[in-house]
Amino acid sequence: MRSRPRTLTAPLLLAAALLTTALTPAATAAPGHAAASLTVAADGSAAFGGIQAAIDAVPANNTSPVTITVHPGVYREVVLVPSDKPHIRLVGSSGRAADVTIVYNNSSGTPKPGGGTYGTSGSATFAVDADDFQARNITFANDFDELAHADQPNHQAVALRTRGDRIVLSNIAAHGDQDTLLLDSANKDRQGRVHISHSTISGNVDFIFGRATAVITRSVIQVTRRPDGTSAGYVTAPSTAPRFPGFLITDSTITGEVSAGTYYLGRPWYSGGDATLHPQVTVRDTQLSDAIRATPWTDMSGFPWQGARFAEYRNSGPGAGTPSGTRPHLTDQQAGSHTPATWLGGWTP
């Protein structure tokens, strides 16, 4: 006589369901969902030994924040956060920017393995194309040796480049010589907003540049001597589109061990000769050392500085000066619209 099929009782059905769930691979998670945290250590003690490897592990089109914690060390690599990987938070574990350094030495004129050269934007040690990126307690550096490559043209060498929107950089350092920090956007019709605080930025020629809308606050901007020992340079070179604000430097310090009166606050960069741009920099409530020239703005590539939106307000220190035809200042009324809140247009970092 054939036996009848056994009917599972409710407890057995529940046990079977739990067993099936336990054996289901974790890979069945919804696409775009990532682990909430990843860890990087240069000494091999963590899941990832490099920054790029950890970023590669974040799935494309991630919809929730992913924190990548980086243990102290020097990470000599070129890193890209692609545009389809938003919401990444890169955090140095020690709380000190000096303890975690991401560094490389490409320059604009460095030959690429496949031919051609990297160009200024492509020289970046660390590049952020994604929106909603954050970095804390990290040093970004480019240690390209200009003297060792004196026969090579185009010495621009970027440490950190941003192209995304809503970028937050806190307690970071960006070190280089020419073109250290490129604050950009995906194109001139798209705004790339960046908020930098409690940070250090160093360089000597156009070392804060690009078309982003950027607020730099409670930070130290260090002007440095050129590699050959000469003292001359430019802090900023904005290439702002006319519909957007440019760079706002506020409640900060601009200083450096250089000769007095040898550095300009900025010059206008009409990228590609695009005369429709309207570069902008406002420096306000900031301590200026004697490194800053009495006439702090100058021309660039045939474009006069007077056509740009350059202004100061309530600066102090030996490098500050009174309003004049060569040193425009905001009125109190104008200064009311040159604040982080108005600059960032509804976005609160």
Side-chain angles (χ1 to χ4, degrees), residues 20 82 97 114 137 139 173 192 221 224 228 232 253 271-272 275 283 291 293 310 314:
T20 301
N137 317 329
T139 292
I221 298 171
T224 62
D228 63 3
T253 299
S271 178
V283 182
R293 291 173 175 263
F310 288 159
R314 217 165 51 189

Side-chain angles (χ1 to χ4, degrees), residues 261-263 290-297 312 319-322 324 326-327:
T262 54
Y263 279 78
D290 65 1
I292 302 304
R293 291 173 175 263
T295 54
W297 311 103
E312 295 177 77
T322 56
S324 70
T326 58
R327 193 155 197 169

Side-chain angles (χ1 to χ4, degrees), residues 260-288:
T262 54
Y263 279 78
Y264 292 98
L265 287 177
R267 55 181 181 169
W269 178 33
Y270 290 82
S271 178
D274 184 353
T276 68
L277 297 175
H278 200 189
Q280 182 174 29
V281 177
T282 295
V283 182
R284 62 170 296 170
D285 299 296
T286 289
Q287 176 85 12
L288 305 181

Side-chain angles (χ1 to χ4, degrees), residues 45-142:
S45 62
F48 300 95
I51 312 293
Q52 188 66 63
I55 291 169
D56 291 346
V58 178
N61 303 310
N62 180 55
T63 58
S64 57
V66 177
T67 298
I68 300 176
T69 301
V70 187
H71 289 298
V74 175
Y75 299 82
R76 180 164 285 276
E77 57 178 315
V78 174
V79 180
L80 170 66
V81 182
S83 60
D84 62 356
K85 295 193 177 186
H87 309 298
I88 288 177
R89 285 92 170 98
L90 190 71
V91 181
S93 65
S94 74
R96 287 169 32 89
D99 290 344
V100 176
T101 298
I102 307 169
V103 59
Y104 212 74
N105 61 349
N106 285 332
S107 74
S108 177
T110 298
K112 295 172 68 175
T117 57
Y118 283 100
T120 299
S121 179
S123 73
T125 296
F126 196 103
V128 181
D129 289 350
D131 293 341
D132 299 297
F133 173 84
Q134 297 183 13
R136 300 196 306 274
N137 317 329
I138 304 282
T139 292
F140 304 93
N142 191 315

